[in-house]
């Protein structure tokens, strides 16, 4: 690794706007929590867990990711998870983190809403002097809109702890319009709106996220390049796109980092940031994403500074 580049990236103030807190669960912590909670686990050791991280697409990742989340049970578990992430993010120069969490992954296993909200809050408070942070509650798009509405009801007592709603999980076949009522309700509760769109799904899902959900940022959005009219709109309206280069390579959205559309997106005048998505699964945290993209795509220090500044300008909250 180029040490100068590494030092430059780590000291560049930046926001992380696309990270799933459940996707920061490292295999070591997974084993500790399985032991602490006496949960049977289908892997013998950390190495066999890591060997399972060979993904062919989004779904092949999600299957393992939801299974692994089963070790998270108590407020203490969620606090440990959050603390581990915030410490790594601060190390990487993140001054503002807006983190996704998936309540349905936990409530469906009988974990009460209060348990994870309490755990997240205690870790966020412990790190507040080093990193500003906020939570984005995601609806799992493979589940029904009624389930999402029920989740919103459960979130009501904790709404002050949440800045926005988002939409994640299996994209293709679960278009944004399925969640129009849930987003309307969320916005009436004072929540901001973002949505995963155009990762594996078509440009139409980006249009619908903007027009039918009121999404203020698009998570991923790389497939916008298939639709010149959409690129024009995203550039004109300066809609932030939270791009995750290592995720895109690991989930085979792009073949190789050298082929990543980030360059074309920057050239089109799009408001692009670099993020880690699920760093424990995709081989690196946010600084690794900056460095790998920079090396493969020939990004200059000026390019990286522009991307980091864009991330801070795209955040809902202050650093
Ligand atoms: N896409 C959709 N759902 C997800 C992702 C992703 O990249 N990561 C975690 N849940
Ligand atoms: Zn994501």
């Amino acid at each position: 690794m180029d040490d100068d580049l590494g030092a430059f990236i780590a000291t560049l103030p930046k926001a992380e706007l696309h990270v799933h807190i459940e996707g920061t669960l490292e295999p070591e912590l997974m084993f500790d929590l399985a032991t602490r909670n006496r949960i049977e686990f289908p892997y013998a050791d950390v190495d066999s867990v890591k060997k399972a991280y060979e993904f062919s697409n989004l779904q092949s990742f999600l299957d393992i990711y939801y299974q692994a989340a089963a070790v998270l049970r108590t407020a203490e578990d969620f606090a440990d998870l959050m603390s581990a992430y915030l410490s790594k993010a601060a190390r990487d120069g993140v001054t503002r983190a807006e983190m996704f969490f998936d309540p349905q992954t936990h409530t469906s296993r009988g974990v009460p809403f209060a348990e994870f909200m309490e755990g997240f809050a205690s870790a966020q408070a412990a790190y507040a002097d080093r990193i500003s942070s906020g939570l984005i509650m995601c609806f799992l798009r493979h589940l029904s809109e009624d389930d999402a509405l029920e989740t919103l009801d459960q979130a009501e007592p904790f709404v002050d702890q949440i800045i926005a709603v988002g939409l994640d999980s299996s994209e293709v076949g679960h278009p944004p319009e399925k969640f129009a009522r849930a987003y309307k309700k969320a916005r009436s509760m004072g929540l901001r709106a973002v949505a995963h769109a155009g990762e594996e799904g078509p440009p139409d899902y980006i249009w619908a996220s903007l027009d039918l959900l009121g999404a203020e940022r698009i998570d991923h959005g790389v497939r916008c390049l298939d639709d010149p009219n959409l690129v024009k709109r995203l550039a004109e309206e300066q809609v932030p796109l939270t791009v995750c280069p290592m995720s895109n390579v690991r989930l085979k959205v792009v073949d190789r980092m050298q082929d990543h559309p980030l360059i074309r997106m920057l050239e089109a005048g799009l408001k692009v940031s670099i993020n880690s998505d699920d760093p424990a699964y995709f081989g690196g945290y946010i600084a690794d994403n900056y460095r790998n993209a920079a090396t493969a795509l020939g990004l200059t220090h000026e390019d990286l500074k522009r991307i980091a500044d864009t991330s801070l300008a795209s955040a809902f909250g202050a650093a």
Side-chain angles (χ1 to χ4, degrees), residues 104-105 108 139-148 169 174 178-179:
Q104 290 152 299
T105 298
S108 66
F139 303 124
L140 296 180
R141 66 200 305 158
H142 67 274
L143 300 178
S144 70
E145 186 176 45
D146 283 344
D147 209 307
S169 185
H174 301 285
K178 183 174 160 187
F179 295 94

Side-chain angles (χ1 to χ4, degrees), residues 18-20 100 168 196 199 219-220 244 247 277-278:
H18 188 155
V19 60
H20 302 260
F100 300 123
D168 64 6
H196 280 56
E199 178 185 17
D219 298 312
H220 292 295
C244 306
S247 165
D277 209 5
D278 301 284

Side-chain angles (χ1 to χ4, degrees), residues 247-296:
S247 165
N248 294 154
V249 174
R250 294 294 280 264
L251 299 187
K252 308 216 177 337
V253 169
V254 302
D255 290 337
R256 305 175 309 158
M257 192 60 89
Q258 292 93 311
D259 304 324
H260 199 282
L262 185 77
I263 292 277
R264 279 181 289 147
M265 296 173 86
L266 288 168
E267 284 168 358
L270 297 175
K271 194 168 180 179
V272 175
S273 60
I274 289 180
N275 306 271
S276 70
D277 209 5
D278 301 284
Y281 292 88
F282 301 150
Y285 284 77
I286 191 168
D288 303 307
N289 274 271
Y290 270 71
R291 184 167 45 75
N292 286 335
T295 306

Side-chain angles (χ1 to χ4, degrees), residues 47-295:
D47 280 345
S48 45
V49 174
K50 288 182 180 164
K51 278 211 193 78
Y53 294 175
E54 280 291 331
F55 310 116
S56 49
N57 55 23
L58 174 60
Q59 192 61 50
S60 65
F61 154 70
L62 291 171
D63 293 342
I64 290 185
Y65 163 82
Y66 293 134
Q67 185 183 44
V71 301
L72 295 158
R73 286 281 162 91
T74 66
E76 186 189 9
D77 302 340
F78 289 97
D80 289 349
L81 178 71
M82 177 64 77
S83 296
Y85 166 69
L86 290 174
S87 128
K88 293 189 182 92
R91 171 203 70 190
D92 280 359
V94 173
T95 53
R96 169 76 185 168
E98 300 186 350
M99 306 160 293
F100 300 123
F101 70 109
D102 286 339
Q104 290 152 299
T105 298
H106 312 303
T107 53
S108 66
R109 299 180 287 115
V111 178
F113 222 95
E115 207 71 36
F116 44 88
M117 296 312 285
E118 188 190 307
F120 293 151
S122 69
Q124 287 176 270
Y127 277 83
D129 57 340
R130 274 158 285 176
I131 181 166
S132 156
S133 67
L135 291 171
I136 302 175
M137 180 174 89
C138 281
F139 303 124
L140 296 180
R141 66 200 305 158
H142 67 274
L143 300 178
S144 70
E145 186 176 45
D146 283 344
D147 209 307
L149 286 162
E150 158 89 33
T151 302
L152 261 182
D153 284 343
Q154 293 171 352
E156 196 115 40
F158 306 97
V159 75
D160 292 346
Q161 238 183 287
I162 303 171
I163 54 175
V165 288
L167 193 57
D168 64 6
S169 185
S170 323
E171 186 181 6
V172 175
H174 301 285
E177 47 268 34
K178 183 174 160 187
F179 295 94
R181 284 184 305 145
Y183 269 68
K184 188 160 181 230
K185 167 130 198 265
R187 289 202 316 275
S188 79
M189 290 164 67
L191 294 166
R192 312 285 296 262
V194 302
H196 280 56
E199 178 185 17
E200 288 185 344
D204 278 0
Y205 284 19
I206 301 177
W207 286 104
S209 298
L210 299 171
D211 293 331
L212 304 178
L213 302 183
E216 300 167 75
R217 293 197 301 244
I218 297 296
D219 298 312
H220 292 295
V222 288
R223 288 205 53 203
C224 72
L225 292 172
D226 298 349
D227 179 348
N229 285 329
L230 177 58
V231 171
K232 189 159 170 277
R233 175 176 181 187
L234 294 169
E236 272 171 14
E237 295 180 13
Q238 285 292 288
V239 177
L241 305 173
T242 64
V243 173
C244 306
M246 293 173 76
S247 165
N248 294 154
V249 174
R250 294 294 280 264
L251 299 187
K252 308 216 177 337
V253 169
V254 302
D255 290 337
R256 305 175 309 158
M257 192 60 89
Q258 292 93 311
D259 304 324
H260 199 282
L262 185 77
I263 292 277
R264 279 181 289 147
M265 296 173 86
L266 288 168
E267 284 168 358
L270 297 175
K271 194 168 180 179
V272 175
S273 60
I274 289 180
N275 306 271
S276 70
D277 209 5
D278 301 284
Y281 292 88
F282 301 150
Y285 284 77
I286 191 168
D288 303 307
N289 274 271
Y290 270 71
R291 184 167 45 75
N292 286 335
T295 306

